[in-house]
């Protein structure tokens, strides 16, 4: 049996719009198909996240295991590296 798998982008990105290395605060816009659907504020010293907006527009991705918690955890995985390596202008992160 032969066949192939086609991978397509879900076009969901985290765009880092503000990185404060001293206060360890990072702001990201979550974009789906180029449109901002939510903004996340991470305060690493206080271990807090503040969200403006929602993930309703990408609700259809839940069947693939991509939900709000997954998106936030993908970003959180990158934050220590950004701070430790003093990256003030990180690249976009494909979710």
């Amino acid at each position: 049996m032969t066949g192939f798998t086609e991978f397509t982008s879900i076009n969901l990105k985290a765009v880092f719009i503000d990185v404060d290395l001293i206060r360890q605060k990072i702001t990201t816009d979550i974009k789906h198909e180029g449109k901002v659907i939510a903004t996340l504020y991470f305060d690493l010293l206080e271990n807090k996240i503040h969200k403006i907006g929602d993930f309703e527009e990408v609700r259809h991705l839940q069947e693939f295991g991509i939900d709000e918690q997954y998106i936030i955890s993908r970003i959180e995985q990158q934050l220590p590296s950004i701070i430790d390596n003093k990256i003030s202008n990180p690249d976009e992160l494909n979710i």
Side-chain angles (χ1 to χ4, degrees), residues 12-14 28-32 37-40 42 49-62 66-73 75 95:
L12 183 63
K13 297 180 182 190
T28 65
D29 278 344
I30 306 303
K31 290 186 172 185
H32 181 251
I37 60 171
T39 300
L40 302 173
F42 295 89
I49 301 170
H50 179 73
K51 176 185 77 166
I52 296 177
D54 61 50
F55 294 90
E56 192 64 32
E57 191 166 318
V58 293
R59 185 178 175 98
H60 64 282
L61 298 174
Q62 286 180 347
I66 300 171
D67 58 8
E68 180 175 338
Q69 185 176 9
Y70 175 81
I71 294 167
I72 291 171
S73 70
I75 298 166
I95 304 292

Side-chain angles (χ1 to χ4, degrees), residues 10-92:
I10 59 172
N11 209 358
L12 183 63
K13 297 180 182 190
V15 179
F16 297 92
I17 59 173
D18 186 43
V19 176
D20 186 331
L21 296 171
I22 304 298
R23 297 188 317 188
Q24 296 190 16
K25 294 183 179 186
I26 298 176
T27 304
T28 65
D29 278 344
I30 306 303
K31 290 186 172 185
H32 181 251
E33 297 183 359
K35 176 185 169 192
V36 175
I37 60 171
T39 300
L40 302 173
Y41 301 91
F42 295 89
D43 186 330
L44 296 161
L45 294 177
E46 297 287 328
N47 196 28
K48 292 183 181 178
I49 301 170
H50 179 73
K51 176 185 77 166
I52 296 177
D54 61 50
F55 294 90
E56 192 64 32
E57 191 166 318
V58 293
R59 185 178 175 98
H60 64 282
L61 298 174
Q62 286 180 347
E63 68 179 288
F64 305 108
I66 300 171
D67 58 8
E68 180 175 338
Q69 185 176 9
Y70 175 81
I71 294 167
I72 291 171
S73 70
R74 285 275 295 140
I75 298 166
E76 284 180 319
Q77 292 170 4
Q78 302 300 314
L79 300 183
S81 177
I82 291 170
I83 297 298
D84 293 346
N85 294 306
K86 298 178 179 19
I87 302 170
S88 60
N89 191 17
D91 294 333
E92 293 178 346

